Amino acid sequence: MTPGQILLFVVALVAFGLALRRGVPTAQRALRDTGQTIGRVLPLLLVALPMAAFLAELIPPDAAAGWLGPESGLPGIIVASFAGGFIPGGPFVSFPLVLTFIKAGAGGPQMVALITGWAILGFHRVIAWEWPVLGGRFVAIRLAASFALPVLAGVLAQWLLPWFPHALIRP
Amino acid sequence: MPGFLRRHSNLLIIGGIGLVAGAAVYRLHGPAGIGRAMETAAGVFLGVLPAMLAGLLLAGSLKQLIPAGALAKWMGAESGWRGLGVATLAGMAMPGGPMAAFPLVLVLAQAGADRGALIAFIVAWALNGFQRVLVWEVPLLGADFAILRFLCGLPLGFIAGALARRLPIDWVPPGSQAGGQRP
């Protein structure tokens, strides 16, 4: 287990302990609620994880950095925004990938858009977590409200880049 | 049985996409590709299961400890930009992966946070979570790039939250009784 997971366990047990101090019925309600959520989420997870893994198999690991070069401008930012949404996995996948792209010559604003797209759109995470826990309607609202934001972040980065001359370390 | 279909629509949609993607993997990579993918999926499942149980137990306990509607004043539909700001700060401070964050969103919803605040929270957590920026982004991509990226992400939670409040799609938090408060 990672330190983060251990911390989560400790916090969860403390919260449950506090519920127990309120009385056994409160703790029972907490357990019943937890069980109900698990019953709802677990089947979805069992279907969603193979699905996400299949999608990951289909994505080429080294998508062309040329598409995302500094001269690619707004089209590059748009491509990067939505490509970011398809990067599977957690930060241990995305940030090393961005580092390889930067070393291969990708542009700064495009990489800002890519990371933002991965974080906000991350279809992998939407399918494995957000949809099972919060439901399809919530996902629809959230994606409708945020699908254009990675592009906005890339455009902002283009404006701000002159103030950050050291933003792109090249080997 | 339309009722059955509606109740399990999420499962059916995800399962459908999975079957299509699995068929594509089989055509491209054969049984070895399927085996690799299932191995990945099983590894992720075993990896996240304990954290998920902890996250859901935390959410279940907090739901009992935080009275319903307690956060309505801070993050409710009437909370305006300040509510989105509170949600953004909470999202950035929220440590941990999706197994903790998404169950917590349910707790916030039950405590009276509206959809705008919930979405500002999710966007801020996913994009600018302090823990991830410090643990992953700064070491791997450098402080200058990380600061530039962080600044560009800062307004996005507000924008997403404000947009979400105006979208004409009905939504009730799952698990809440029918007739709960709506925006």
Side-chain angles (χ1 to χ4, degrees), chain B:
Chain B
M1 329 149 92
F4 175 85
L5 289 183
R6 189 165 320 131
R7 213 160 340 113
H8 298 285
S9 57
N10 287 340
L11 202 58
L12 292 172
I13 293 171
I14 295 177
I17 301 174
L19 283 181
V20 173
V25 170
Y26 190 82
R27 283 200 58 145
L28 287 171
H29 305 291
I34 300 279
R36 241 186 352 256
M38 292 308 282
E39 226 168 82
T40 312
V44 174
F45 180 73
L46 293 180
V48 301
L49 194 62
M52 186 172 146
L53 296 180
L56 293 178
L57 177 63
L58 174 62
S61 305
L62 284 180
K63 256 174 149 171
Q64 301 303 323
L65 295 172
I66 303 173
L71 293 176
K73 183 166 159 269
W74 291 99
M75 292 194 212
E78 311 301 319
S79 62
W81 290 103
R82 197 194 53 178
L84 298 183
V86 172
T88 298
L89 278 180
M92 291 196 296
M94 171 79 200
M99 48 284 205
F102 286 113
L104 189 68
V105 170
L106 279 181
V107 176
L108 293 178
Q110 189 244 248
D114 83 319
R115 54 163 81 173
L118 296 179
I119 283 170
F121 175 87
I122 293 177
V123 168
W125 163 78
L127 191 57
N128 277 343
F130 292 134
Q131 196 194 30
R132 200 176 53 212
V133 171
L134 294 177
V135 172
W136 291 99
E137 198 165 14
V138 171
L140 276 170
L141 303 179
D144 290 74
F145 182 87
I147 293 170
L148 171 67
R149 220 270 317 131
F150 184 86
L151 286 179
C152 294
L154 216 45
L156 302 189
F158 288 88
I159 298 172
L163 281 175
R165 282 178 174 167
R166 283 164 185 74
L167 285 174
I169 304 176
D170 275 341
W171 176 72
V172 203
S176 73
Q177 264 65 43
Q181 75 267 48
R182 287 208 196 168

Side-chain angles (χ1 to χ4, degrees), chain A residues 29-110:
Chain A
R29 273 200 302 279
L31 281 182
R32 197 159 47 231
D33 194 272
T34 308
Q36 276 167 1
T37 322
I38 291 173
R40 202 178 65 238
V41 170
L42 207 56
L44 281 163
L45 197 67
L46 284 172
V47 178
L49 286 179
M51 196 223 67
F54 289 146
L55 287 183
E57 279 287 318
L58 296 175
I59 297 165
D62 39 27
W67 279 58
L68 309 174
E71 285 81 38
S72 62
L74 187 61
I77 289 177
I78 294 173
V79 169
S81 297
F82 293 99
F86 289 97
I87 299 177
F92 40 87
V93 175
S94 60
F95 288 116
L97 194 66
V98 169
L99 186 63
T100 13
F101 281 165
I102 290 178
K103 285 186 173 161
Q110 285 75 17

